[in-house]
Amino acid sequence: MLEVKSTTGLVALIGYPVGHSLSPLMQNAAFASAGLDLVYLAFAVAPPDLPAALAGLKALGFMGANVTVPHKEAVIKYLDAVEPIAARIGAVNTIVNKDGRLTGYNTDAGGFLRSLREAGFDPAGKQAVILGAGGAARAVAFALAGAGCAALTIANRTLEKAGCLAAELTGLKVPVGACNLQEEELRPRIEGADLVVNATSAGMAPAVEAVPLPAAWLNSRQWVYDLVYNPLETKFLRQARQRGCRVISGLGMLLYQGAAAFTLWTGKTAPVEVMRNVLLKATGEPM
Ligand SMILES: NC(=O)c1ccc[n+]([C@@H]2O[C@H](COP(=O)([O-])OP(=O)(O)OC[C@H]3O[C@@H](n4cnc5c(N)ncnc54)[C@H](OP(=O)(O)O)[C@@H]3O)[C@@H](O)[C@H]2O)c1
């Protein structure tokens, strides 16, 4: 049982909603395992209340916070500093409060890359297609471009958003294209890809029957990564596995973005296996 004392340090999750988040379970288990007198609490903060919530972090002396949908981009203008990778991505998911100064970081991009490499895929020199152009797709796109991908395609339901993200990536010296999800545009790009990343919310509970594209477009030499982790194996990932693709679920990215945030707040190496086991248990996977 967690013992909250008058000395206990505080870390927040700020989002809207936050009830679905596995981060409180994961981070509190990590703090306990590392013997730290810290507690992680989730706060549902409606968009108009975001500046007050950040002022509250300072006033109440929180050590830091995670930031989730829909605040990852909006939060930037209320911070005292933003580290370069987060500034380039244009999204912050972790805040550190040092002596009343709030600094923003993005651990989603590094978390994605670490999980991809752990699974056995090195993006250097590879062709990748990212489905989606929202906050998660931004982090994935900058991560892959920074890791030396040979070419990237951003494919999104709303073409304009894909075009904007592709334009922002042009300075990174990786050829980047943009298209919509229609077969005539997307299928040839999918067929030529080494890696396909679903960074849309298609397939996320409760709409578990949705898929971002037909599995018939995939082939067995490809890797397919689905950022969705609820359910752990989406319909898209199951179909990709049945086509012979190597598949990766969103759990690893969730784990490693959390591990990096833990280190930013505490200065310590995160107890990754404790955190992984909490996530596997919470998502109903055998350990
Ligand atoms: N594993 C992790 O650690 C991790 C981290 C972050 C996010 N995620 C997951 O990644 C997903 C996206 O998150 P986000 O923060 O980027 O959300 P977001 O900013 O709201 O963006 C959602 C994206 O999904 C697209 N989309 C939504 N429904 C769709 C559908 N039925 N068919 C095709 N495209 C659809 C949207 O297209 P339009 O632009 O056309 O609307 C947009 O590109 C979520 O499922 C989230 O849980 C996982």
Side-chain angles (χ1 to χ4, degrees), residues 20 68-69 72-73 93 108 111-112 131-139 155-159 161-162 181 198-205 207 210-213 225-230 249-257:
H20 63 287
T68 189
V69 177
K72 287 185 186 183
E73 291 164 48
N93 76 323
D108 282 336
F112 168 76
L131 308 168
R138 295 184 68 82
N156 195 45
R157 188 174 57 180
T158 310
L159 177 60
K161 279 173 64 182
L181 303 182
N198 177 34
T200 78
S201 0
M204 188 169 78
V211 289
L213 56 80
Y225 193 128
D226 198 331
L227 263 55
V228 174
Y229 53 82
N230 178 22
S249 83
L251 191 119
M253 178 174 174
L254 179 66
L255 169 65
Y256 288 126
Q257 65 74 33

Side-chain angles (χ1 to χ4, degrees), residues 31-270:
F31 293 156
S33 159
L36 297 167
D37 185 19
L38 293 174
V39 66
Y40 184 105
L41 299 163
F43 297 93
V45 175
D49 296 326
L50 182 61
L54 292 162
L57 288 184
K58 284 190 186 182
L60 297 172
F62 273 66
M63 284 184 75
N66 275 143
V67 182
T68 189
V69 177
H71 301 313
K72 287 185 186 183
E73 291 164 48
V75 76
I76 288 179
K77 60 177 172 289
Y78 304 112
L79 300 175
D80 300 301
V82 178
E83 60 107 23
I85 294 167
R88 197 183 281 176
I89 296 170
V92 158
N93 76 323
T94 301
I95 297 172
V96 175
N97 180 9
K98 191 147 193 310
D99 305 325
R101 270 178 62 81
L102 302 183
T103 302
Y105 298 83
N106 188 301
T107 67
D108 282 336
F112 168 76
L113 265 191
R114 186 172 170 188
S115 64
L116 188 61
R117 288 184 171 131
E118 182 184 67
F121 185 90
D122 178 1
K126 305 290 197 326
Q127 313 250 356
V129 176
I130 300 168
L131 308 168
R138 295 184 68 82
V140 168
F142 279 93
L144 288 175
C149 247
L152 271 182
T153 296
I154 314 293
N156 195 45
R157 188 174 57 180
T158 310
L159 177 60
E160 194 189 349
K161 279 173 64 182
C164 288
L165 177 51
E168 286 180 54
L169 289 156
T170 47
L172 294 176
K173 300 190 174 72
V174 177
V176 185
C179 68
N180 60 30
L181 303 182
Q182 300 306 311
E183 181 167 4
E184 60 278 16
E185 286 211 31
L186 182 54
R187 187 170 186 166
R189 295 174 192 250
I190 292 289
E191 286 173 350
D194 302 296
L195 171 70
V196 178
V197 181
N198 177 34
T200 78
S201 0
M204 188 169 78
V208 294
E209 286 303 312
V211 289
L213 56 80
W217 300 1
L218 301 169
N219 62 66
S220 62
R221 66 165 192 86
Q222 295 173 319
W223 289 70
V224 175
Y225 193 128
D226 198 331
L227 263 55
V228 174
Y229 53 82
N230 178 22
L232 200 54
E233 185 174 75
T234 58
K235 183 173 179 179
F236 180 53
L237 219 53
R238 186 169 65 252
Q239 290 179 337
R241 183 169 50 74
Q242 287 163 354
R243 295 280 299 171
C245 304
R246 276 163 288 185
V247 298
I248 310 172
S249 83
L251 191 119
M253 178 174 174
L254 179 66
L255 169 65
Y256 288 126
Q257 65 74 33
F262 176 101
T263 300
L264 286 169
W265 298 318
T266 67
K268 296 182 184 307
T269 303

